[in-house]
């Protein structure tokens, strides 16, 4: 059996930009990008910190952003830094490593740092960027604990810089639509949600091999660097979708760790997890995340109808239906939309909206911490 990585799964299932035909128009409350006047003012200069898989996706998105541009890099690998400099025309003066990164304080060429490192390193680099006076975006999950999130928020507030979390789906039309359907109660009160995201990231049928947990390529299996398994890495999208569709915060959670097929591989983090979230309205969410099976879907049952997506939480193209028919919007570059959404606010000297700032990241980490506690203790944990 071929090893199915997250990347090959994404490729196999055609989750690439430009892979779909446009079936319906944008919802009326979303202005089509072509209709917006082109911004021609100064762009924010962004330095990407960590040049792995997702940094490549962000760099791609930055090729078509209006409000920001890729101007710098931070990498621990000189050969990789050189390749990026050549590919993206980045001058030596805008190329940093993890040791000399703090010198970025002296750079007038960098306005913002986008931290795309393993989760356990987000806190250190967000705080160092803030102390250097740079605005910061950090990838999800914001950090590996609520305490670290609070320290990051404080560092950015003390330095007078803005802090955003890379929640790409907050700028995606299909997700803006399910948020509207839920929060505006278009089909009545949502009573129940099922949301799941999982990727088979290894050959489940193969016999267990020893893992070097200090190998940088295996950081997702190393608890200190990842903060956890599929819950913190993928399940965060399920938590997010439930929260923004309901427009409510969970008041209690229950959870169960799933079967461990490969105890050597999953010695430090969970392989699969299921969890339930209760909301004050009485709505309940039932969610799953895993490294041993592929799943990507969302279903909301409301009093007078339902709406659903599958694929739902990946890079798209998303497909779904409501009780009224097809639910599908033109595919966008999610990274470009997220970056322009965040940077247009900062350029206009406005505070970032709640749905994308550090406090939003903190809420998710508080919920994730409660879910892990519930799974470990077998008890219902209130929030
Ligand atoms: P990756 O392993 O491909 O890249 C990680 C980068 O960090 C590499 O360039 C690596 O050299 C560098 N690094 C520095 N110190 C390291 C260390 N001690 N151990 C390991 N790597 C180290 O990972 P990725 O998939 O790019 O994920 C990076 C971040 O982006 C994570 O926080 C992840 O959750 C997030 N992410 C977000 C999305 C999204 O859709 N928003 C998708 C994938 C990843």
């Amino acid at each position: 059996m071929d090893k199915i990585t997250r990347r090959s799964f994404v490729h196999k299932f055609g989750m690439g930009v430009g892979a779909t035909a446009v079936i319906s128009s944008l919802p009326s409350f979303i202005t089509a990008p072509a209709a917006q006047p082109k911004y021609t003012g100064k762009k924010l200069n962004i330095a990407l910190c960590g040049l792995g898989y997702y940094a490549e996706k962000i760099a791609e998105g930055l090729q078509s952003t209006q409000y920001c541009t890729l101007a710098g890099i931070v990498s621990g690998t000189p050969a990789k830094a050189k390749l990026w400099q050549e590919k993206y025309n980045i001058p030596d003066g805008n190329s940093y490593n993890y040791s000399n990164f703090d010198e970025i304080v002296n750079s007038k060429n960098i306005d913002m740092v986008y931290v795309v490192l393993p989760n356990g390193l987000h806190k250190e680099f967000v705080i160092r960027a803030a102390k250097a006076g740079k605005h910061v975006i950090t990838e999800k999950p914001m950090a590996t604990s609520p305490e670290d999130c609070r320290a990051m928020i404080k560092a950015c507030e003390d330095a007078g810089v803005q802090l955003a979390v890379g929640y790409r789906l907050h700028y995606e039309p299909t997700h803006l639509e399910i948020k509207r359907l839920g929060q505006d109660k278009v089909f009545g009160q949502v009573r129940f949600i099922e949301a799941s995201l999982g990727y088979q990231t290894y050959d489940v049928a193969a016999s267990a091999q020893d893992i070097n947990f200090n190998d940088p390529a295996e950081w997702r299996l190393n608890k200190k660097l990842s903060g956890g398994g599929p819950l913190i890495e993928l399940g965060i999208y399920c938590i997010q979708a439930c929260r923004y569709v309901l427009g409510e915060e969970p008041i209690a959670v229950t959870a169960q760790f799933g079967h461990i097929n490969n105890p050597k591989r999953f010695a430090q983090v969970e392989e699969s997890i299921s969890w339930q979230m209760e909301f004050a309205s009485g709505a309940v969410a039932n969610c799953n995340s895993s490294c041993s099976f592929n799943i990507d879907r969302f279903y909301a049952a409301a009093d007078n109808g339902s709406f659903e997506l599958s694929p739902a939480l990946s890079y798209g193209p998303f497909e779904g239906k409501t009780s009224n028919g097809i639910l599908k919007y033109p595919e966008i570059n999610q990274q470009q939309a997220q970056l322009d959404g965040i940077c247009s606010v900062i350029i206009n000297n406005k505070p970032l909206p709640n749905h994308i700032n550090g406090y939003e990241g903190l809420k998710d980490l508080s919920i994730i911490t409660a879910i892990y506690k519930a799974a470990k203790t077998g008890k219902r944990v209130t929030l």
Side-chain angles (χ1 to χ4, degrees), residues 211-377:
I211 299 285
N212 173 6
F213 291 99
N214 294 320
D215 177 350
E218 302 288 12
W219 69 262
R220 283 185 166 84
L221 301 176
N222 175 323
K223 176 84 186 290
K224 197 159 182 289
L225 282 173
S226 61
L231 172 64
I232 196 164
E233 187 67 18
L234 304 172
I236 191 166
Y237 288 105
C238 306
I239 296 169
Q240 277 272 308
C242 294
R243 288 179 51 228
Y244 56 69
V245 165
L246 290 166
E248 289 185 82
E249 300 304 322
I251 55 168
V253 295
T254 47
Q256 307 79 36
F257 289 126
H259 180 69
I260 302 171
N261 293 289
N262 191 324
K264 285 190 177 171
R265 194 172 177 81
F266 296 97
Q268 298 191 11
V269 303
E270 78 280 2
E271 180 168 344
S272 297
I273 186 165
S274 303
W275 72 100
Q276 302 76 41
M277 299 187 284
E278 298 167 33
F279 294 81
S281 62
V284 173
N286 197 1
C287 305
N288 302 280
S289 192
S290 179
C291 290
S292 57
F293 52 85
N294 296 319
I295 189 164
D296 181 5
R297 64 184 194 180
F298 175 91
Y299 185 97
D303 284 342
N304 307 316
S306 63
F307 46 100
E308 62 184 282
L309 293 174
S310 182
L313 301 159
S314 47
Y315 298 146
F318 299 130
E319 285 188 33
K321 61 182 181 191
T322 75
S323 300
N324 288 343
I326 285 178
L327 178 56
K328 190 168 169 88
Y329 295 101
E331 192 182 8
I332 60 158
N333 181 306
Q334 295 183 19
Q335 290 74 25
Q336 175 268 318
Q338 173 212 304
L339 281 154
D340 271 340
I342 290 169
C343 292
S344 59
V345 173
I346 293 179
I347 277 179
N348 286 309
N349 277 325
K350 300 255 169 60
L352 285 167
N354 294 339
H355 68 82
I356 199 77
N357 68 18
Y359 290 97
E360 178 74 5
L362 168 61
K363 283 180 189 165
D364 283 339
L365 259 298
S366 302
I367 296 165
I368 286 168
T369 304
I371 292 169
Y372 278 135
K373 187 172 171 194
K376 272 187 202 122
T377 60

Side-chain angles (χ1 to χ4, degrees), residues 125-137:
F125 282 85
V126 165
I127 292 177
R128 286 171 71 179
K131 285 190 173 158
K134 307 300 175 189
H135 299 297
V136 205
I137 307 177

Side-chain angles (χ1 to χ4, degrees), residues 52-54 80 119 122 139-140 168 219-220 233 237:
Y53 162 74
Y54 196 60
K80 198 187 332 177
N119 311 336
H122 292 182
E139 250 322 302
K140 47 53 59 180
R168 56 185 165 75
W219 69 262
R220 283 185 166 84
E233 187 67 18
Y237 288 105

